[in-house]
Every structure is written in C-alpha cells, then in structure tokens.
Amino acid sequence: MEWDFGFVNSLNEYQNGQLQNLLALLNGKVFDFSKEDEFQWVHSVDKIAIFHWQTVQEGVPVKEVLGYRRCLRDITNDKCGWCLAHVESIDHLFLHCSWSYKVWSSLFNWWNVCWILPSNILEFSHDWCDGLGIRAKIFWKLISPATIWTIWMARNELVFNGSYMCWVASVERIKIKLMLVWCMYGYCSQVSLLMDAS
Ligand SMILES: [Zn+2]
C-alpha cells in the first residue's frame, strides 16, 4: 500500500523525520473498513482538548485578553503579529487573521469539507458540525482542536522568539501530528479516511 498525504510543499528535515516515523508505524498495519470509526481523547491529546475549551472560555492570554486584565506589558502593542492590522483577539487570532484563515481553508479543502468562516470561536465550537455529516464531525472533533493548538504554538514562536512560521509549514505539521497520534493510539481506522481526502 502506498500512502499519499497530499502535501503541497516539500518537507523540511524535521518534518521528513516525522514522516519516516509515521510510515514505520503504518508499515504492515491492516485496516478494518467494515467497523464504525470511534474517537477517544487520551494522554497528550487531552492537553489540546483542554486548550480548545479555553479558547471558547476566552481563557487564552491573547493581547486583547491581557489588556482587559491590565497585564499587557506594552499597551500600544496589542496588534496581531502576523497581519499587524488588527487587535490580537481570540476570534481574530484563531479564525479571522489571513494567516489563520489560510490554514483553516487548506485543511478544510484537504478534508474535502465545505465551510463558511464562523463569526466567532464560540459559534465554531457549539454544534458547528450538526447535520454536516461524518467528515465534518471528524474535522470538528480531531482536526479543529489540533489546528487551534498549532496556531497558538506558531503565534508564541512569533511573539516570544521572533520566529515566523509560514502557514503552509503549519498545515503540514498538523497533518503529520494527527497521523502520528492516530497511529500511536490505535486510531488507524481514521487513517483510511485521509486517503480518500487527499
Ligand atoms: Zn492578524
């Protein structure tokens, strides 16, 4: 069996190493296409799920939230580090910034799910996938939290280390991490869907 993950860019050395680990995990795996898919959150995945919940509760310390709490060190520097045009709010950072929007659009296209940009993170988190079918449910339960987490990590790299991560690289990182998690925790039946989606 040959795997096609649909990467649009060539992988760097780190990503290629992770991909090799993934392929080693996949080697020899047998998939049961007759069983219904199941989802569980375990171990490190819990951390991502909790962070997802924190974004909905406005508990993530973006610059706007820090400003409300009077904790922003430089009150004149409340702009998003990617576009420098809007206040870094939770909705802007995770959904509306052009950087994040490209990440979401790429992943939705990859997953072959149509979507409309939600007006806020709350709308995106409550019953978003109702009536949209199994592919949208998988996206909402698994890919969406991982995407929010990766956006936050990329944002922190920029804010604290001045390191800009291209949105394309973030998309590839999300894909590889998801595949690794699913394989390591025995979610291999999910992987078959990726083949259809690529
Ligand atoms: Zn922005």
Side-chain angles (χ1 to χ4, degrees), residues 51-108:
F51 186 79
H52 190 198
W53 178 80
Q54 283 178 318
T55 60
V56 177
Q57 303 300 318
E58 299 198 337
V60 176
V62 296
K63 291 176 184 175
E64 184 182 58
V65 171
L66 290 174
Y68 290 154
R69 297 175 183 168
R70 300 182 186 279
C71 297
L72 189 60
R73 197 173 296 173
D74 177 4
I75 57 171
T76 64
N77 179 22
D78 63 353
K79 295 288 187 291
C80 164
W82 284 316
C83 66
L84 302 175
H86 298 274
V87 171
E88 190 196 71
S89 65
I90 286 176
D91 293 332
H92 176 80
L93 182 74
F94 291 106
L95 290 176
H96 299 149
C97 183
S98 58
W99 190 98
S100 306
Y101 178 76
K102 287 171 189 168
V103 170
W104 287 111
S105 295
S106 176
L107 289 167
F108 273 106

Side-chain angles (χ1 to χ4, degrees), residues 31-47:
F31 302 107
D32 186 349
F33 295 96
S34 65
K35 287 187 177 171
E36 196 171 329
D37 294 309
E38 294 178 350
F39 312 113
Q40 299 173 54
W41 291 101
V42 289
H43 307 307
S44 62
V45 183
D46 285 341
K47 182 175 65 177

Side-chain angles (χ1 to χ4, degrees), residues 108 113 115-116 118 123-130 132 136 140:
F108 273 106
V113 169
W115 78 307
I116 297 172
E123 182 184 305
F124 192 40
S125 301
H126 283 301
D127 305 324
W128 172 84
C129 58
D130 273 5
L132 293 181
W140 188 69

Side-chain angles (χ1 to χ4, degrees), residues 114-125:
C114 294
W115 78 307
I116 297 172
L117 183 67
S119 59
N120 57 56
I121 203 84
L122 195 63
E123 182 184 305
F124 192 40
S125 301

